[in-house]
Amino acid sequence: MTSRELTGLLPLAQGDSAQPFLRKANDWIWRLSFGAIGWPWLLRSLHGGSKADKRALMNALGLAPDSLPHLGSWKADTGFLRHIVMNIARLRPAVTVELGAGASTLVAAKAMALHGGGSLISFDQHAGFVEGTRNWLKDNGLSVDIRHAPLEAEVDGWPGRWYSVDRLPERIDLIIIDGPPWSIHPLVRGAADSLFRRLAPGGVILLDDAARPGERLVARRWRKRWPDIDFSLLHDGTKGTLVGVKRAVGVPPAPANDRGTPTRHMVRAAGIAALIATGWIGHGVLGEFPQPARAADTRFIDEAAASHRTGLLRQAMVSQVESTHLDSGEIARSTGLRLPTLPAGWKVRDVQLYPTEGTSAVALSLTTPQGESVTLLTGRAETPAEGKPLVTKRENENIAYWEEGDQALALTGTISPSRALELAALLARKPQES
């Protein structure tokens, strides 16, 4: 499974002939109800991240550029994969449990190999896919305890069917939730909290597709049921990631709140469908809806966002040595790129030549006097900009970009648009003497 091969747009089919009629009817009502409002998220999920982001991720892990399959749709996007790497680099987990195998398995296994080893236990419901993934990992020099876990279990308080997991360790440091697919039931991933009792203090939960309506309802229930876990929704990917961090002092979980007969579930599902029809969810009860995905402005802007995320990733990785020495003269002589003069009080965190399409750029990871982490990318990529900085957005970052002669520059950070323009204006005054 590499980018030389195609994978299906939809997840593998899952038979459900063994379900009772009332349960099947109830699940279908939920699916149809959430499918009616979920199409913006489904369309958005077709984009698995920019080529620049994917290339930067592969470079950071030391994997071949085509190691991963085409991302998007039911597969993890680069934003979720990046969170996996950053948390493994920070936690150095002894035990990671993954629900739903695939691209995330390769990335997690490689990151764990780079950061202290540890064991990765991965579950998936499709026996053939488990075997194929095991061979794919072996081709990349990785070994993972990947197990076939049919969707046959039931978890008290949650609808749908859950993985038949077994032989789990008592203590888990990282839980990666990338399955089952929502087509089983929009709330099916909520049953992952059957593992939360095993989560070690300081341990982390990562839930993919967290911006979807079903996962937002799951997150709301988790927040109530697990008060000792702090959950936050991050939008730095195409589909959103829910991150949960367990506090050191445990608090007993609240009772599950989804008990009842199949008939009661059908009534509840029908009620939600009616609320959807009257605009209840559309008026923000689930929280802020994601904005429609915009067409990419320029390749250079994508490279700028990717260079910023790569810089943050390098800073989180012990094995990646940062270079804080900035020699603008040498850079100008070697690349022909003239770097701006840094304002007083700005600190250089890292200096890297950054590969872009057809040429090289220079990425500076910087910290402002106010403690803001930003990245300045200088290259020869063409942009529709002008001498005065303009601003655009990529996921969670605002990017101010401008041109100086034959050079393009972009300043990226998780800051407001006005702040990005303000900082860029300081850099756009005059170039560094070489």
Side-chain angles (χ1 to χ4, degrees), residues 53-61 68 81-82 85 107 313:
D53 271 347
K54 185 177 178 181
R55 185 168 61 249
L57 182 68
M58 295 296 94
N59 287 341
L61 292 172
L68 287 178
L81 297 177
R82 192 166 54 246
V85 175
V107 168
L313 190 62

Side-chain angles (χ1 to χ4, degrees), residues 18-19 24 32 42 65 86 94 116 118 172 174 194 217 230 246 249-250 264 270 277 299 346 357 382 422 426:
Q19 291 188 76
K24 288 202 297 186
L32 293 174
L42 297 178
M86 292 179 69
I172 301 172
L174 176 62
S194 58
L217 288 178
D230 297 315
K246 186 172 183 179
V249 179
R264 178 185 172 189
R299 181 179 298 162
W346 287 43
E357 293 290 340
E382 294 185 5
E422 179 184 350
L426 297 176

Side-chain angles (χ1 to χ4, degrees), residues 34 138 163 177 190 219 236 246 321-322 335 346 356 360 393:
F34 278 83
K138 189 179 299 182
Y163 298 106
I177 308 165
D236 56 345
K246 186 172 183 179
V321 180
E322 300 164 15
T335 67
W346 287 43
T356 58
S360 292
K393 189 167 186 176

